[in-house]
């Protein structure tokens, strides 16, 4: 072999080794998984779009945002105090209800209301079209 051949061989293998390392690192990364069925799609909801709410099952809150269009609220933990007859309030620092904001479950006591549970919002997702319950 010539001296020139010895110098070229390492120079050619280094870029190939680097490419191989990059490819193996990229292949080792997990592929982004598909969204889970109940995973929140949006982190905020405009407060002015909320018309009213319903509780289709215990612990599940849906806001009506149009004539017959609902958005499900996702909570950090189970919202145990939320029932069909629940009165709610929410507090937001802007014109949007966002991830981390509170939904308060109220118990009416005469002319006042006590907070019975506080649930923290993690996001919102549209509810599939269906008839009103």
């Amino acid at each position: 072999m010539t001296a020139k051949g010895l110098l070229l061989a390492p120079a050619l293998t280094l870029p190939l080794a680097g490419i191989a390392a990059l490819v193996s690192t990229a292949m080792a990364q997990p592929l982004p998984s598909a969204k889970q069925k109940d995973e929140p799609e949006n982190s905020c909801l405009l407060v002015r779009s909320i018309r009213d709410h319903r509780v289709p099952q215990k612990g599940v809150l849906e806001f009506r945002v149009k004539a017959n269009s609902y958005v499900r609220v996702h909570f950090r933990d189970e919202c145990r105090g939320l029932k069909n007859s629940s009165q709610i309030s929410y507090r937001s620092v802007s014109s949007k209800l966002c991830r981390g904001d509170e939904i308060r479950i109220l118990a009416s006591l005469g002319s006042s209301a006590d907070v019975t549970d506080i649930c923290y919002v993690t996001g919102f997702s549209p509810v599939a079209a269906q008839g009103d319950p």
Side-chain angles (χ1 to χ4, degrees), residues 78-97:
E78 182 181 353
C79 194
R80 294 180 307 244
L82 190 59
K83 299 181 277 228
N84 194 26
S85 61
S86 294
Q87 295 296 315
I88 64 165
S89 71
Y90 46 85
R91 183 178 302 171
S92 178
V93 295
S94 70
S95 62
K96 297 177 182 178
L97 186 63

Side-chain angles (χ1 to χ4, degrees), residues 52-110:
D52 58 22
H53 74 278
R54 67 182 181 186
V55 180
Q57 64 190 47
K58 187 174 181 175
V60 176
L61 176 63
E62 294 175 349
F63 286 123
R64 184 170 63 92
V65 292
K66 293 182 184 169
N68 207 17
S69 178
Y70 288 84
V71 173
R72 179 162 289 169
V73 181
H74 296 271
F75 297 111
R76 181 176 66 198
D77 299 311
E78 182 181 353
C79 194
R80 294 180 307 244
L82 190 59
K83 299 181 277 228
N84 194 26
S85 61
S86 294
Q87 295 296 315
I88 64 165
S89 71
Y90 46 85
R91 183 178 302 171
S92 178
V93 295
S94 70
S95 62
K96 297 177 182 178
L97 186 63
C98 294
R99 178 180 292 140
D101 287 343
E102 298 176 352
I103 301 280
R104 294 172 178 247
I105 313 306
L106 308 173
S108 295
L109 302 172

Side-chain angles (χ1 to χ4, degrees), residues 32-41 74 125:
S33 61
K35 275 191 172 257
Q36 296 293 327
K37 182 180 176 186
D38 291 332
E39 188 175 325
E41 293 181 5
H74 296 271
S125 63

